[in-house]
Amino acid sequence: MKITIIYDTSSGHTRKMAQAVAEGAGTIEGIEVVVKHVDDASAEDLFSEGVIIGSPTYCGLMTWKLKALFDKSQGKAWGKVDGRIGAAFSSSGGLGGGNELAVFSILNALMNYGFIVFGLTEYAGKGVTAHYGAVAVGDP
Amino acid sequence: MKITIIYDTSSGHTRKMAQAVAEGAGTIEGIEVVVKHVDDASAEDLFSEGVIIGSPTYCGLMTWKLKALFDKSQGKAWGKVDGRIGAAFSSSGGLGGGNELAVFSILNALMNYGFIVFGLTEYAGKGVTAHYGAVAVGDP
Amino acid sequence: MKITIIYDTSSGHTRKMAQAVAEGAGTIEGIEVVVKHVDDASAEDLFSEGVIIGSPTYCGLMTWKLKALFDKSQGKAWGKVDGRIGAAFSSSGGLGGGNELAVFSILNALMNYGFIVFGLTEYAGKGVTAHYGAVAVGDP
Amino acid sequence: MKITIIYDTSSGHTRKMAQAVAEGAGTIEGIEVVVKHVDDASAEDLFSEGVIIGSPTYCGLMTWKLKALFDKSQGKAWGKVDGRIGAAFSSSGGLGGGNELAVFSILNALMNYGFIVFGLTEYAGKGVTAHYGAVAVGDP
């Protein structure tokens, strides 16, 4: 099973999250992980069995570059990836700054494409969870 | 596989949607469908392999009765239904009246519990889709 | 100008937030502040010039008691409070646990009623903001 | 008072909505209305007393071009437009196709910038409302 992690980054925090997610996923046997900056990603990358999208929180949403990937890939991938697995993560400058909303904007786009999405009920640590996808405030 | 459809209804429109969803699901071999009004539902019903929640659109969200089911079932079911399948539908009085947002409020609660959720890319008819779950304006 | 703060609370954290918001608002000249637990609130309280709703984060949404206030007040207040000011706050158990989504569920209901809503761009402190309404993780 | 309507369009439907909104706003005395396609808009346009953003529904969100306007204007306009008025509208291919969610993505970004936002409780016609902003399915 191939998982593709596509991320955008501004301060480098979301890149760090992408690397942490990749390391976590890479420890599972039988999982091949590919990490791509949004500048290097294309519609083909949305055909992986699992797609995880990470974005800095910009105006409470994913960045325009990630949105452009979804918009421009519609002709090739939309409606052709039904039932594949999608997830999201985001990094923001402040608590209450929109990171959950940014995660939800990604889940929204993934569901629109046909991906099935999910969160995690477990707590990653005291007071840190990923019910809708991992979030971080500042340096993760 | 057992699917439980839990609905609330005000004008009767959401009940009609629940019946249509039940008929559709019932035609699939190996699927047992149970339909319950929220007044008759309890935490146990959230342990089905598939849970579909339908609500009238009230203030752009599911009704308080359905929310009470989620809130009061937390001790018994939260975090114990990870990986089960969840979906949502809603009926509203007007286009733009909040039915998509009501559907998203249900998906939000389902994800929080640990359900995996999804929408449909296919169109049910001309100009009618269920990208996040089925919606209806007025009589479905 | 009268501001009514209506809150629900589970661990007491949201009550503390309600008190802090009330103290902040009370320092502004000409503002009368009333704080009510949801059990003591009714449709009449939604007619204040400003209404601020605070909720523990339950399943990424406001609690069922607060939702019941909105649902049951529709006949008396819906569409009769257009242009009044609304805001929201929420307390959650964990970062990424749904507090922003709970705030958005409140703003959604307030907008549906006709309230105008807003967030704050200023940072309350390093890494703490209230772009959509104040949020807290654990003890505020 | 100056209102700037910024829109993106794909099939031409959102342009039609922009023109209808402009005509409606233009009938109010003392209101100057400017309509701009997103390709012609810049950070300066966000400094109008009222800003209305219209987008085709793409993946349940505003288009990447409109998002790019918000992202790239942050340095100039973010946090400097507090208290100005913002609103949104969207056109989608299908009922349930994400137009309300697209409207909410715009309100989210506007609130993040500091705008106050609102919906309308009145019904525009039988079964058509704009509780969070105007939406249309297909040709408006």
Side-chain angles (χ1 to χ4, degrees), chain B residues 17 21 88-91 99 103 129-136, chain D residues 96:
Chain B
M17 292 183 83
V21 172
F89 60 91
S90 185
S91 165
N99 51 28
V103 160
T129 181
H131 288 355
Y132 308 95
V135 298

Side-chain angles (χ1 to χ4, degrees), chain D residues 97-119:
Chain D
N99 51 30
E100 289 181 1
L101 299 171
V103 159
F104 242 68
S105 76
I106 297 169
L107 298 180
N108 177 344
L110 287 168
M111 287 185 67
N112 193 295
Y113 258 74
F115 286 90
I116 60 176
V117 301
F118 62 98

Side-chain angles (χ1 to χ4, degrees), chain B residues 15 106 120:
Chain B
R15 176 181 289 119
I106 296 169
L120 299 175

Side-chain angles (χ1 to χ4, degrees), chain A residues 57-65 67-72 74 78 97-98 101-102 104-106 108-109 112-113, chain D residues 57-65 67-72 74 78 97-98 101-102 104-106 108-109 112-113:
Chain A
T57 298
Y58 263 48
C59 307
L61 299 161
M62 72 176 108
T63 64
W64 70 268
K65 281 191 176 179
K67 186 64 195 342
L69 175 65
F70 279 109
D71 288 4
K72 294 179 177 176
Q74 283 197 107
W78 191 87
L101 298 171
F104 242 68
S105 75
I106 296 169
N108 177 345
N112 193 294
Y113 258 73
Chain D
T57 298
Y58 264 47
C59 308
L61 299 162
M62 72 177 110
T63 64
W64 71 267
K65 281 192 177 180
K67 186 65 194 345
L69 175 65
F70 279 109
D71 287 4
K72 295 179 177 176
Q74 282 197 108
W78 191 87
L101 299 171
F104 242 68
S105 76
I106 297 169
N108 177 344
N112 193 295
Y113 258 74

Side-chain angles (χ1 to χ4, degrees), chain A residues 93-116:
Chain A
L95 174 66
N99 50 30
E100 289 181 0
L101 298 171
V103 160
F104 242 68
S105 75
I106 296 169
L107 298 180
N108 177 345
L110 287 169
M111 286 184 68
N112 193 294
Y113 258 73
F115 286 90
I116 60 176

Side-chain angles (χ1 to χ4, degrees), chain B residues 32-76:
Chain B
E32 179 202 356
V33 182
V34 176
V35 182
K36 288 202 174 184
H37 186 277
V38 64
D39 287 345
D40 305 318
S42 66
E44 281 69 31
D45 295 310
L46 299 176
F47 285 93
S48 296
E49 284 87 353
V51 174
I52 308 178
I53 309 280
S55 179
T57 298
Y58 264 48
C59 307
L61 299 161
M62 72 177 108
T63 64
W64 71 267
K65 280 191 177 180
L66 284 163
K67 186 65 195 343
L69 175 65
F70 279 109
D71 288 5
K72 294 178 178 177
S73 302
Q74 282 197 109
K76 281 195 181 164

Side-chain angles (χ1 to χ4, degrees), chain D residues 2-61:
Chain D
K2 184 180 171 182
I3 290 180
T4 302
I5 299 169
I6 304 169
Y7 72 96
D8 195 0
T9 194
S10 169
S11 61
H13 294 158
T14 314
R15 175 181 289 119
K16 277 193 191 175
M17 290 184 83
Q19 289 160 345
V21 172
E23 278 170 34
T27 60
I28 304 167
E29 197 170 311
I31 300 271
E32 179 201 356
V33 182
V34 175
V35 182
K36 286 200 174 184
H37 186 276
V38 64
D39 287 344
D40 305 318
S42 66
E44 281 69 32
D45 296 309
L46 299 175
F47 285 92
S48 297
E49 285 87 355
V51 174
I52 307 177
I53 308 281
S55 180
T57 298
Y58 264 47
C59 308
L61 299 162

